[in-house]
Amino acid sequence: MSQISRRHALSLFGLAGFGAAAAACAGPGGGTAAPTTATAPSTGAVTGEVSFAHWRGEDKVVFDELIKRFMDANPGTTVTQDISTSNDYNAQGLQKVRGAAVGDAFATFRGSQFKNFNEAGIYTDLTDTKAASQYTDELLAAGKNGDNVVGLPYQVVFPMPLANLDLFDKAGANLTPQNWDEFLGTCESLKSSGVIPISWPGGDVGNGGQLWNCMVVNNAPVDDVGTQIEQGKIKVTDDWFIRMLEQYRDLIPYLQPNATGTAVEPAQNFFAQQQAAMLATGSYHIAAVRNLGAAFPMELVFPQTSTSGTPKYEGVYNATFILGVNSASDVQPAAMAWVEFLSTPENAAYYANGTAQHVAVSDVNYTNPDLQRMSPWLKKKTALAPRFQFESLDVRNAVEATATAVISGTSPQQAAEAAQTIVDERV
């Protein structure tokens, strides 16, 4: 079936039919196929219609400009964006791009989705491409299948709370707490000044779970905490995990009302309107907050959970939005050219500065004031976000749901036992 006719069939199938098909398939993390050895993308004329599938709707305008520049340089090619919400893309992305009716070029989340795309043979091998050579070596690890580079982690994000520096200054709040008591002191100072200390989108699984990265890295006994929980080597009923849940319980007085039912948009609004001093999502929401009219200076805050001694990590980061070329695409040369275009320092810089997102491409010049202010975090001792170590979304959701349960009033022990039951069923 041709590229055009496949797309026509998908449009006739409709979103409702597509969702039903996705529900009938194994969900992310549930794949059983053996990893597929990808082949290099085909070469040839850069022509045809390229579908670019991703979830970053807030980046559409910036990508539109990059697409215009790409099409000016490649007049025989068009690029269209196919954008889903992050939750829908996480749940249905594999079914969406399989066969390349959508997504000649695409992005994936690090972790279970990247694994599942590999097992399904969606990726092509980019190891020896010019595009791969543009990336910082240590950050390419998130896009490797064995020794081969199959995906290019475009974004470097910090899933840590954003802070309103004006509100911190007004409250005399500590921006760099060195232990848990100091972080709670920061929250108390902010609360005493008359603002909500933390806006947390607990009703949004994808965004609400980002705080878990911060809470776990200096509590967990191992770095590969998600992997070991999933393998049954450590349990969420262990003392260290209960202690972390008790720290979540400490946060209850400092969250907005109905925090566990708050979607990400109202959480952003609390922060943008200066009703809350911190937004507990990450640097990837800087542009969204700016678009809501926020003009105040922002920084990142790490909720340091250490209770004694020297903490192992100063923060957390993630290398994600892993760009790939679809192995089933009829226009692979054009899709590869688009990925290569995005990967040049000049175009990566345009994307970074326009979206307020750091990138994994080398030699990028950051002119965005927010990126400049937060660039020192690129050199701090940060842990790779552990929530993306899980290969089963069922396990990840169960583990992260313990925090929501505790903030809703469940005891840490009860929340942990309920989650461990689910984990045990899948080990």
Side-chain angles (χ1 to χ4, degrees):
M1 187 182 287
S2 71
Q3 181 84 352
I4 294 174
S5 60
R6 277 203 306 268
R7 286 181 182 142
H8 181 61
L10 185 67
S11 66
L12 291 175
F13 194 45
L15 292 176
F18 174 76
C25 299
T32 57
T36 302
T37 302
T39 58
S42 60
T43 58
V46 179
T47 59
E49 179 186 347
V50 175
S51 167
F52 178 40
H54 65 90
W55 64 89
R56 288 283 301 178
E58 55 267 65
D59 297 350
K60 181 182 183 301
V61 173
V62 173
F63 276 132
D64 279 342
E65 174 59 27
L66 288 168
I67 287 170
K68 179 179 180 298
R69 297 179 186 185
F70 175 76
M71 289 167 53
D72 286 345
N74 299 276
T77 304
T78 60
V79 177
T80 57
Q81 297 185 66
D82 188 280
I83 305 172
S84 306
T85 66
S86 60
N87 283 348
D88 286 347
Y89 197 89
N90 206 8
Q92 302 174 356
L94 176 58
Q95 289 78 19
K96 188 166 192 175
V97 307
R98 192 191 296 272
V102 168
D104 301 291
F106 59 89
T108 62
F109 293 94
R110 171 179 154 249
S112 60
Q113 188 175 65
F114 177 69
K115 168 183 174 286
N116 290 339
F117 272 57
N118 271 308
E119 290 181 342
I122 305 297
Y123 277 102
T124 56
D125 187 356
L126 306 182
T127 305
D128 297 321
T129 62
K130 181 179 178 181
S133 69
Q134 304 278 13
Y135 287 73
T136 304
D137 286 342
E138 57 268 27
L139 295 176
L140 273 176
K144 285 190 173 182
N145 181 21
D147 293 330
N148 294 335
V149 176
V150 296
L152 306 174
Y154 203 50
Q155 300 172 350
V156 180
V157 300
F158 297 96
M160 297 159 49
L162 288 171
N164 178 332
L165 291 182
D166 286 349
L167 293 182
F168 267 68
D169 288 345
K170 178 183 176 182
N174 183 3
L175 189 65
T176 57
Q178 298 302 301
N179 56 52
W180 187 243
D181 284 342
E182 288 188 9
F183 181 69
L184 293 180
T186 292
C187 293
E188 187 61 36
S189 296
L190 293 166
K191 184 177 181 179
S192 297
S193 73
V195 298
I196 299 167
I198 304 171
S199 180
W200 179 61
D204 182 303
V205 174
N207 288 291
Q210 298 291 13
L211 182 61
W212 190 85
N213 294 305
C214 303
M215 300 294 284
V216 75
V217 292
N218 283 325
N219 272 310
V222 292
D223 285 343
D224 58 339
V225 55
T227 300
Q228 292 207 28
I229 288 174
E230 202 163 53
Q231 293 174 348
K233 295 178 180 178
I234 59 177
K235 296 180 180 295
V236 298
T237 50
D238 292 344
D239 288 345
W240 70 269
F241 197 91
I242 299 296
R243 182 173 64 250
M244 183 193 70
L245 291 181
E246 289 171 346
Q247 291 177 324
Y248 264 105
R249 185 171 58 189
D250 291 342
L251 295 178
I252 293 174
Y254 306 116
L255 303 176
Q256 81 277 13
N258 189 33
T260 59
T262 303
V264 69
E265 291 83 3
Q268 290 173 340
N269 274 308
F270 281 133
F271 182 66
Q273 295 168 9
Q274 304 198 68
Q275 297 177 50
M278 286 181 274
L279 174 63
T281 56
S283 63
Y284 60 94
H285 274 157
I286 294 171
V289 172
R290 292 291 184 216
N291 288 338
L292 290 171
F296 48 81
M298 285 185 272
E299 241 296 1
L300 294 165
V301 178
F302 183 53
Q304 182 55 266
T305 60
S306 176
T307 55
S308 62
T310 303
K312 188 172 184 180
Y313 292 109
E314 300 175 277
V316 290
Y317 80 96
N318 194 29
T320 189
F321 203 81
I322 304 175
L323 297 174
V325 174
N326 199 316
S327 61
S329 172
D330 292 336
V331 290
Q332 277 193 3
M336 184 68 241
W338 167 241
V339 169
E340 184 176 296
F341 179 85
L342 292 177
S343 302
T344 65
E346 178 185 2
N347 293 322
Y350 181 84
Y351 173 82
N353 292 312
T355 63
Q357 300 238 115
H358 291 96
V359 291
V361 175
S362 302
D363 302 321
V364 166
N365 180 32
Y366 295 116
T367 58
N368 179 291
D370 290 315
L371 294 183
Q372 289 178 334
R373 183 181 295 112
M374 298 180 194
S375 286
W377 284 97
L378 294 167
K379 298 180 180 179
K380 293 189 178 185
K381 190 174 183 182
T382 53
L384 189 59
R387 76 186 296 239
F388 301 102
Q389 294 169 359
F390 292 103
E391 293 187 348
S392 166
L393 277 182
D394 288 340
V395 172
R396 189 182 94 180
N397 289 341
V399 170
E400 292 180 354
T402 58
T404 305
V406 166
I407 291 173
S408 295
T410 304
S411 74
Q413 291 78 10
Q414 288 177 316
E417 288 168 5
Q420 190 60 48
T421 298
I422 296 173
V423 174
D424 289 342
E425 290 173 352
R426 287 158 176 78
V427 171

